[in-house]
Amino acid sequence: MRTTMKTLTLLAACMLLYVSMFSQQVAKTIPYAPASNGIIGFLEFKPTDYGTQKHPLIIFLHGIGERGNGTTQINSVANNAIPLYCANGATMRFTVAGQTSSFVVLSPQLNTSYGSWPPFYVTEMIKYAKANLQIDTNRIYVTGLSLGGGGVWRAITEITGRFDSTIAAAAPVCGTQEEVDANVCSTIGANHLPVWAFHCMDDGTVNVGATQHAEILLSWCTGMTPAAKFTYYQSGGHGGAWINAFDTGHITRTVSGGGSFTANPNLYEWFLSKTRATGYTAPTANAGTVQSITLPASTVTLTGTGAGTGGATISSYSWAKTSGPAGVSISTANAASTTVTGLSQGVYVFTLTVTDNHALSTTSTVTITVMAAVVVNAGLSQVIATTSATLDAAGSYSPNGSIATYNWQQVSGPAAATIVNGGSPTATISDMVQGGTYAFKLTVTDVLGAYGSALTDVEVLFTLLPVEFTYFKAEKISTGNLLHWAAVNEQDNDYFSIERSTDGNSFASIEKITGTRAGKTANEYTFTDTKLSAGNYYYRLKQVDKDGKFVYSKVVLVSDNSKAGAAQIYPNPVQASLSVVINNDIKGSGKIAVYDVTGRSVRQEVVVKNDKIFNAAVDMNNLVAGLYVVEIKIGDTYKLTKSILKK
């Protein structure tokens, strides 16, 4: 029996030696007095090309079932995951960005006297590797499963001063909840440590909530770069997490929510893309200068820059829209310079993320303001019998807010005319030549700098008619629209034809008024238009001589203020309180609402209008600076919207 036992023992030893030689993984111990048994036992894997390069290092922490004394029980460490792959002949060699690297793997064994992984196992393995192995100290990675996953969380959230900042990346797999909550942002966040965590949604041993808890903690870290990755497999139970996560290929699995996830890169390739060097700081980023455009323009070019520090190089750029209306498209989001299309009225913020070859990132933002086009109305064309005319821009307005400037200019004509009050809505033109046709350009600019232009023309008759209009006015009265005008020098005047239009372009005669008498004394005329329906009306006079010659007066407008308009919203821009004044005949209940550029309601007040004049105040104090739309509704017949700029 002894002989048989000796033979079996020798055979087992030979088999262990064979496996160790084949896999390049051997058992070792180092003294460590604070440990419960004074040592740390571990498996050390060296790749077959060890010594040809500075190798990246993986420190692997096993689960609770693989605990042991670190010596005679050390081989149980190779029951699962990376140590098992190494024992079975895995090369642990991977290629990333054209560079092939082979991992050294250290897998310590947790002593059975511990119920969780003390962080010294990780720190002592790093010390040992730096002192005894040919490793790349900028590429040290920590991973583990189950209890070992919890050990990873604890190792990377130790208090500042004990956290090993040489760790380049960490991957907890179905880890227990061992992280130090209060230190997450001061360790992982402050050290820009890349983290990729894995868990199965149906894990019945370590609930998925343990990993989700860590995800929530990391989401609270300000400026967390790079962002931690979390992969939740739809199924697989407890063991499925490490079977999937540690696979050396590019497997495809179903993840939470039912989507498909392909591990490309796999965990090992992801590790190799992360490096850390003492003294490296995050790169610089600049998203470019603030831009403003006016519709119908809807495209801008974003031009960002980035620069590495301490010799680092930029590995990637990434653009994203972080606020503003929906519907935009970023053509090449991963380029330093890109084009954005589909912009609509509003204020946008785009964020550029610049990442260097050490996985450190910096962000920068740029604001793009898209303004609505200014509506410019230079007035109708005029045919006059005098050498003077009045140009009126009263129909001009801006959806962005109040008008800042008006500018009238002559663009054509037989000679230079004199423009008086060319910077106001109403300009007077004089010294025009008989028989000439003049064109005038109106440019209107609003408070945001958006502008637009329009043209109008004035034809001066060659032979001036004797009749001169001293005024022509129109107003709404209870029985209709009252027109009244006066003329002098009516010699040979036959009649006035009253012409009406509902659009300001197409006019039709509705009445003829006979001229009264000649002379230099002004003769006054009136006419009431009673055949009306709701709406706005334009009027002009056609004065006809007995020989058939004629001339037109200016055009006047009578607005139907009882149904629309007749509201003031001020000041614009506004800082604190917005005043709303409505003056019309509409009565009833309604509301005043304020919307931001995304269409979200930020203020809403129910109001009741009992009188002709209504006053209200809207508190704008707590709103951020930007563009808003104010909507007023009274009853079923009155609605008004206006753009407001909040300072």
Side-chain angles (χ1 to χ4, degrees):
M1 183 67 177
R2 283 183 190 170
T3 303
T4 302
M5 288 299 298
K6 286 182 179 180
T7 302
L8 291 175
T9 302
L10 179 61
L11 179 61
C14 291
M15 288 295 295
L16 179 60
L17 177 62
Y18 170 78
V19 171
S20 297
M21 290 177 64
F22 176 75
S23 68
Q24 303 294 309
Q25 183 167 251
V26 297
K28 290 196 173 185
T29 62
I30 57 172
Y32 185 67
S36 59
N37 58 344
I39 64 166
I40 296 176
F42 59 97
L43 293 179
E44 177 183 279
F45 170 82
K46 292 180 180 178
T48 55
D49 63 346
Y50 180 78
T52 63
Q53 59 180 284
K54 287 189 175 182
H55 299 274
L57 170 67
I58 292 177
I59 298 172
F60 173 82
L61 306 183
H62 60 72
I64 194 170
E66 287 74 56
R67 291 181 301 169
N69 58 18
T71 54
T72 60
Q73 299 171 324
I74 190 65
N75 287 328
S76 63
V77 172
N79 285 347
N80 295 298
I82 298 177
L84 176 61
Y85 295 156
C86 293
N88 289 336
T91 63
M92 298 306 292
R93 183 179 296 113
F94 300 89
T95 300
V96 174
Q99 179 181 354
T100 300
S101 301
S102 300
F103 285 99
V104 167
V105 181
L106 299 181
S107 304
Q109 184 173 45
L110 179 66
N111 191 275
T112 53
S113 63
Y114 295 112
S116 61
W117 281 89
F120 68 74
Y121 278 93
V122 172
T123 56
E124 291 305 310
M125 287 292 93
I126 292 175
K127 289 179 183 178
Y128 168 81
K130 288 180 177 180
N132 299 281
L133 298 173
Q134 191 170 333
I135 65 165
D136 183 348
T137 56
N138 290 329
R139 295 191 293 172
I140 298 174
Y141 312 104
V142 181
T143 187
L145 61 87
S146 192
L147 187 68
V152 174
W153 282 121
R154 183 176 175 187
I156 62 177
T157 58
E158 276 294 294
I159 59 173
T160 303
R162 294 179 62 189
F163 174 83
D164 194 325
S165 60
T166 63
I167 297 174
V173 179
C174 57
T176 52
Q177 191 170 316
E178 299 289 340
E179 66 273 5
V180 184
D181 289 9
N183 297 340
V184 167
C185 295
S186 61
T187 52
I188 299 174
N191 287 277
H192 305 285
L193 179 66
V195 173
W196 190 358
F198 303 81
H199 219 120
C200 288
M201 297 298 293
D202 61 350
D203 191 330
T205 302
V206 178
N207 189 274
V208 68
T211 297
Q212 292 171 333
H213 176 77
E215 183 176 10
I216 292 171
L217 293 176
L218 286 168
S219 71
W220 293 341
C221 298
T222 303
M224 177 69 186
T225 57
K229 296 178 60 175
F230 290 85
T231 297
Y232 296 102
Y233 302 108
Q234 185 67 44
S235 61
H238 191 48
W242 67 72
I243 292 172
N244 294 334
F246 293 119
D247 193 283
T248 57
H250 300 115
I251 61 172
T252 298
R253 293 290 184 268
T254 301
V255 291
S256 176
S260 178
F261 165 74
T262 298
N264 189 10
N266 60 34
L267 177 59
Y268 311 99
E269 293 164 341
W270 180 79
F271 274 155
L272 292 176
S273 71
K274 311 302 178 185
T275 65
R276 181 173 295 278
T278 304
Y280 282 160
T281 57
T284 61
N286 188 329
T289 58
V290 172
Q291 299 183 54
S292 296
I293 62 172
T294 302
L295 295 173
S298 61
T299 300
V300 296
T301 297
L302 303 177
T303 302
T305 58
T309 59
T313 58
I314 301 304
S315 59
S316 68
Y317 297 87
S318 178
W319 286 99
K321 187 199 79 173
T322 47
S323 68
V328 302
S329 175
I330 302 176
S331 61
T332 49
N334 59 348
S337 180
T338 187
T339 300
V340 180
T341 58
L343 295 165
S344 57
Q345 183 182 353
V347 179
Y348 294 82
V349 176
F350 292 93
T351 298
L352 171 65
T353 301
V354 177
T355 304
D356 66 14
N357 60 316
H358 304 296
L360 300 181
S361 300
T362 302
T363 60
S364 177
T365 61
V366 63
T367 300
I368 308 295
T369 301
V370 182
M371 299 173 290
V374 176
V375 178
V376 182
N377 188 338
L380 299 173
S381 299
Q382 300 182 49
V383 179
I384 61 173
T386 67
T387 57
S388 299
T390 299
L391 305 180
D392 191 354
S396 301
Y397 68 93
S398 172
N400 304 313
S402 59
I403 299 298
T405 63
Y406 297 86
N407 183 27
W408 290 97
Q409 293 178 305
Q410 179 184 337
V411 294
S412 67
T418 299
I419 301 177
V420 179
N421 296 326
S424 66
T426 304
T428 301
I429 311 298
S430 60
D431 299 327
M432 289 184 286
V433 177
Q434 295 183 39
T437 299
Y438 292 77
F440 297 93
K441 178 182 179 181
L442 169 65
T443 300
V444 177
T445 305
D446 66 18
V447 289
L448 295 185
Y451 63 90
S453 299
L455 295 173
T456 189
D457 57 82
V458 178
E459 180 184 354
V460 182
L461 294 179
F462 184 77
T463 301
L464 299 182
L465 298 176
V467 175
E468 297 179 16
F469 291 105
T470 57
Y471 66 83
F472 177 34
K473 301 177 182 179
E475 61 181 316
K476 185 176 181 63
I477 60 176
S478 60
T479 56
N481 293 339
L482 173 63
L483 313 182
H484 43 107
W485 69 95
V488 296
N489 296 329
E490 289 193 55
Q491 184 176 354
D492 295 327
N493 179 23
D494 191 4
Y495 62 89
F496 298 96
S497 175
I498 301 172
E499 297 184 353
R500 182 178 67 193
S501 171
T502 57
D503 60 9
N505 292 311
S506 300
F507 286 85
S509 177
I510 60 172
E511 189 63 63
K512 289 184 179 180
I513 304 295
T514 302
T516 55
R517 57 186 179 277
K520 294 187 177 181
T521 302
N523 301 314
E524 296 186 345
Y525 300 84
T526 62
F527 171 76
T528 301
D529 184 9
T530 59
K531 299 178 180 180
L532 303 172
S533 57
N536 297 331
Y537 288 93
Y538 300 83
Y539 296 93
R540 71 182 181 187
L541 300 175
K542 180 180 180 181
Q543 185 271 316
V544 183
D545 274 1
K546 292 180 179 179
D547 59 5
K549 294 180 180 179
F550 63 89
V551 67
Y552 286 106
S553 71
K554 69 177 182 178
V555 177
V556 295
L557 169 66
V558 179
S559 298
D560 185 5
N561 290 329
S562 65
K563 298 298 181 185
Q568 295 179 339
I569 304 176
Y570 63 91
N572 192 8
V574 63
Q575 287 185 322
S577 180
L578 186 69
S579 296
V580 176
V581 180
I582 305 174
N583 183 4
N584 59 30
D585 296 329
I586 298 295
K587 296 180 181 179
S589 59
K591 70 175 182 178
I592 300 175
V594 181
Y595 302 93
D596 63 16
V597 293
T598 67
R600 180 174 59 93
S601 175
V602 295
R603 290 284 187 278
Q604 191 163 136
E605 296 183 18
V606 177
V607 297
V608 178
K609 184 173 181 291
N610 293 320
D611 300 309
K612 183 179 180 69
I613 298 178
F614 171 81
N615 292 275
V618 181
D619 183 12
M620 306 283 282
N621 263 310
N622 296 327
L623 300 183
V624 299
L627 197 63
Y628 295 86
V629 174
V630 178
E631 180 183 76
I632 304 170
K633 289 183 179 179
I634 303 294
D636 298 326
T637 58
Y638 184 86
K639 179 180 178 181
L640 179 69
T641 59
K642 185 172 182 180
S643 297
I644 295 294
L645 181 65
K646 170 67 168 63
K647 286 186 175 179

